[in-house]
Amino acid sequence: MMPITLLDPAKYQVPYQPEDMVVIVNYANPLQTSRPLAKVMQAWQKLGFVAVITPYLTTTADYAGDVVLPCGTLDKWEGPLGGKTLYAKADTIRVPLQKPLGQSRSETEIFLDLAEKMGKLYGSEGFLDRINAALELADEAKLPLDRKPTVQQILGAWTRSKHGLSLAEFTQRGVVTKQVTADELYLNSGPTPLGGVRGAFYVDAFLKIRRSQQRNGVPESLWRYYTPYPTWTEPVIEQSPAIYDLYLMDFKRIEHKQSRTRNNPL
């Protein structure tokens, strides 16, 4: 949707003109993955300033980037990382294989510097304050709001707060696991979000979509699902022949991206 709105900001009530916008692209390549390509390229050219954080000269960095900030891959601290099954959780931190190559830095270091240059790093509601909140750090482990930390100091604050371990102790273990509690495993009887409202009872947009599809000859097998009121639809799985009377439940293993399993102690 972004290319369409940028090409006609007045129609979509965008509060700023594209020429006045600054966009930071972090480890992504939207010009390669977005469509329609012609509109995407036209929209990105309208932006006032584009900074691209990437380890590679991507299509977005090459075509739309005003500045490229090189970040690392396997030569940086990365975390907290985690995964879970139905019954256990696991936390880990990826340790760099080597010193950073060239002028590359981790994304965290780049954003710390950018926030400092913008005057948004320190103090209440600053970037450091937001890091404390995002990592849910205990009071005794929170980062000071008056000085810039290193990535290791940030990760060390998290390991102390969540696991009671120093960063060195945590990385020595490689992966720290914890059993899922019964409260987390089973639904609780506490108050539901949004004041107990589970969802909108009537959605007029769905009725408009249904009528539009009917006018355009969309088959009933598709438009009948757009109902303004909640409507029960039998799950497809229940429509299987009676001979299939069992259910199979499984989970996908987490992708071992960028050789993260190297953190597992031998």
Side-chain angles (χ1 to χ4, degrees), residues 107-126:
E107 295 97 313
T108 303
E109 292 173 307
I110 292 172
F111 281 115
L112 286 170
D113 281 355
L114 289 176
E116 186 176 39
K117 290 290 185 182
M118 295 169 61
K120 300 293 185 180
L121 179 61
Y122 307 110
S124 178
E125 297 299 320

Side-chain angles (χ1 to χ4, degrees), residues 74 78 81-85 90 92 94 175 251-264:
L74 297 178
E78 188 174 10
L81 305 171
K84 65 178 182 179
T85 67
T92 188
R94 195 179 67 192
V175 176
F251 61 90
K252 296 181 180 179
R253 295 184 179 276
I254 188 170
E255 178 186 4
H256 300 295
K257 185 180 179 184
Q258 297 182 339
S259 187
R260 286 176 177 155
T261 48
R262 67 169 295 278
N263 292 309
N264 296 345

Side-chain angles (χ1 to χ4, degrees), residues 138-150:
D139 290 340
E140 63 273 12
K142 286 184 178 178
L143 302 168
L145 303 183
D146 58 352
R147 59 181 181 270
K148 183 165 61 175
T150 64

Side-chain angles (χ1 to χ4, degrees), residues 70 75 98-105:
D75 52 357
Q98 62 186 44
K99 293 182 178 180
L101 297 174
Q103 297 180 348
S104 68
R105 310 178 71 190

Side-chain angles (χ1 to χ4, degrees), residues 35-243:
R35 295 293 184 272
L37 187 57
K39 289 185 179 293
V40 171
M41 296 177 69
Q42 185 181 355
W44 279 86
Q45 282 295 300
K46 291 174 67 68
L47 293 167
F49 188 85
V50 178
V52 184
I53 301 174
T54 176
Y56 322 105
L57 189 61
T58 61
T59 304
T60 303
D62 191 26
Y63 180 80
D66 294 293
V67 63
V68 177
L69 304 174
C71 67
T73 52
L74 297 178
D75 52 357
K76 66 183 178 185
W77 290 88
E78 188 174 10
L81 305 171
K84 65 178 182 179
T85 67
L86 185 60
Y87 301 107
K89 296 180 180 179
D91 289 322
T92 188
I93 291 173
R94 195 179 67 192
V95 180
L97 287 169
Q98 62 186 44
K99 293 182 178 180
L101 297 174
Q103 297 180 348
S104 68
R105 310 178 71 190
S106 70
E107 295 97 313
T108 303
E109 292 173 307
I110 292 172
F111 281 115
L112 286 170
D113 281 355
L114 289 176
E116 186 176 39
K117 290 290 185 182
M118 295 169 61
K120 300 293 185 180
L121 179 61
Y122 307 110
S124 178
E125 297 299 320
F127 189 46
L128 293 175
D129 198 19
R130 298 300 178 92
I131 291 177
N132 285 333
L135 294 180
E136 300 180 345
L137 299 180
D139 290 340
E140 63 273 12
K142 286 184 178 178
L143 302 168
L145 303 183
D146 58 352
R147 59 181 181 270
K148 183 165 61 175
T150 64
V151 177
Q152 292 97 312
Q153 288 171 334
I154 295 173
L155 294 174
W158 176 79
T159 59
R160 291 194 307 275
S161 176
K162 186 167 184 181
H163 294 286
L165 300 170
S166 68
L167 180 60
E169 292 171 327
F170 186 93
T171 54
Q172 181 67 31
R173 295 192 185 188
V175 176
V176 176
T177 60
K178 177 183 177 183
Q179 292 297 310
V180 174
T181 65
D183 288 342
E184 296 172 303
L185 183 59
Y186 300 103
L187 294 176
N188 59 55
S189 57
T192 56
L194 305 176
V197 178
R198 293 181 178 272
F201 183 72
Y202 178 87
V203 183
D204 189 61
F206 286 174
L207 180 60
K208 294 179 180 178
I209 293 173
R210 169 186 279 222
R211 289 172 175 171
S212 174
Q213 291 181 334
Q214 289 173 329
R215 288 195 301 269
N216 288 282
V218 175
E220 182 181 356
S221 59
L222 298 177
W223 61 250
R224 67 188 179 93
Y225 291 109
Y226 288 91
T227 60
Y229 291 102
T231 303
W232 168 255
T233 300
E234 185 181 15
V236 176
I237 191 173
E238 303 294 352
Q239 300 173 20
S240 301
I243 189 175

